[in-house]
Structures are given as C-alpha cells and as structure tokens.
C-alpha cells in the first residue's frame, strides 16, 4: 500500500501551499489586482488555478521519483531534495508577498530567486532521475512567464504601490 501512499502524499503536499495561496489571491483579485496596470499578454485569471494544480502535482511526483531513486533524505537525493524544498518555500512565499503585502518590487526579486532555485532543482534532479528533471521544465517555463508578468506589473505600477 505504501507504494501508492508515498507518491500520493508527494503529489498532494505542494498543492497545500497552492490552496492556501488561493484563498489569499481570491480576496485580492477583485479588490486590488484588477485595478493594476497589467499587460495585454497576461493569461486570463481562470487559467492560473488549473495550471498551478498541474505544476504542483508534477513537481510533487518529481520529488517522489528523486526521493525513491536517490535513497531518501540521506542518500544521493539529499541535495536535490534540499533544492526542491527551497524552491517550494520560495514558491509559496511569492503569493503572500505579491497579493498579501502588495510588495511588487519585493515580489519581483523573490520570483527571480525562485526561478534560480527551480533551475538548481532541475540540475540536481537530473543525475538521480531524468524524468523528474524533465517534469519540472513546464514549471520553469511557467515561472519564466510569471517572472516577466511580475516585473511588468511592478514597472507599470511603481507609483501606486511599494
């Protein structure tokens, strides 16, 4: 049975932070975010929930593959899982910074650090489990888009916030 429980836990765990962030985001979108100057190329709001659910689930499964194939937290997976934990913490921190504190400049810096942490995770996952590293590529792509969006919103709203 544990052959199903461990991957299921790994998939659900990253989504918990996403769900918590969703509550914060939901309140800020109509009251604050919709009044910001945003680029025309931004994805529609309804896309974010399904995309993040997919990304959190795939990153969770990737972490399980590395944990399984790398000998857990004390084997070859120790550094890759530390990188994973770092990027996950940075991921979860972005929403309270951007939507909660409304610190657009800080959110721009933070998402840059997140992007670097995702890249480090991909690089360290690769020797342990290539599939796990490849599962994170859409995540890096999405955070690249989100980084450009965050920077653009900060640049176009500096006079309103921060």
């Amino acid at each position: 049975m544990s052959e199903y429980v461990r991957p299921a836990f790994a998939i659900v765990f990253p989504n918990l932070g996403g769900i918590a962030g969703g509550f914060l985001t939901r309140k800020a979108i109509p009251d604050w975010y919709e009044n910001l100057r945003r680029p025309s190329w931004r994805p529609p709001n309804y896309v974010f929930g399904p995309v993040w659910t997919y990304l959190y689930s795939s990153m969770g499964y990737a972490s399980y593959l590395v944990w399984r194939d790398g000998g857990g937290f004390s084997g070859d997976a120790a550094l890759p899982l530390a990188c994973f934990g770092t990027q996950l913490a940075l991921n979860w921190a972005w929403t309270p910074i951007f939507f909660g504190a409304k610190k657009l400049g800080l959110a721009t810096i933070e998402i840059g650090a997140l992007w670097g942490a995702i890249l480090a995770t991909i690089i360290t996952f690769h020797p342990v489990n290539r599939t796990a590293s490849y599962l994170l590529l859409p995540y890096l792509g999405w955070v690249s888009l989100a980084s450009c969006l965050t920077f653009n919103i900060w640049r176009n709203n500096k006079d309103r916030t921060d």
Side-chain angles (χ1 to χ4, degrees), residues 49-95:
V51 167
W52 276 114
T53 301
Y54 165 76
L55 294 173
Y56 282 133
S57 298
S58 63
M59 76 172 76
Y61 187 66
S63 72
Y64 165 74
L65 293 175
V66 168
W67 178 85
R68 181 195 70 192
D69 293 354
F73 295 109
S74 60
D76 291 340
L79 177 61
L81 292 174
C83 290
F84 177 82
T86 300
Q87 70 78 27
L88 187 59
L90 287 167
N91 179 304
W92 287 347
W94 183 87
T95 299

Side-chain angles (χ1 to χ4, degrees), residues 2 9 11 15-16 21 28 33 42 57 60 68 78 82 87 92 113 116 132 155 160:
S2 67
F9 176 77
I11 290 167
N15 280 286
L16 297 177
Y33 181 74
R42 72 177 175 90
S57 298
R68 181 195 70 192
Q87 70 78 27
W92 287 347
R155 187 187 67 205
R160 295 179 176 194

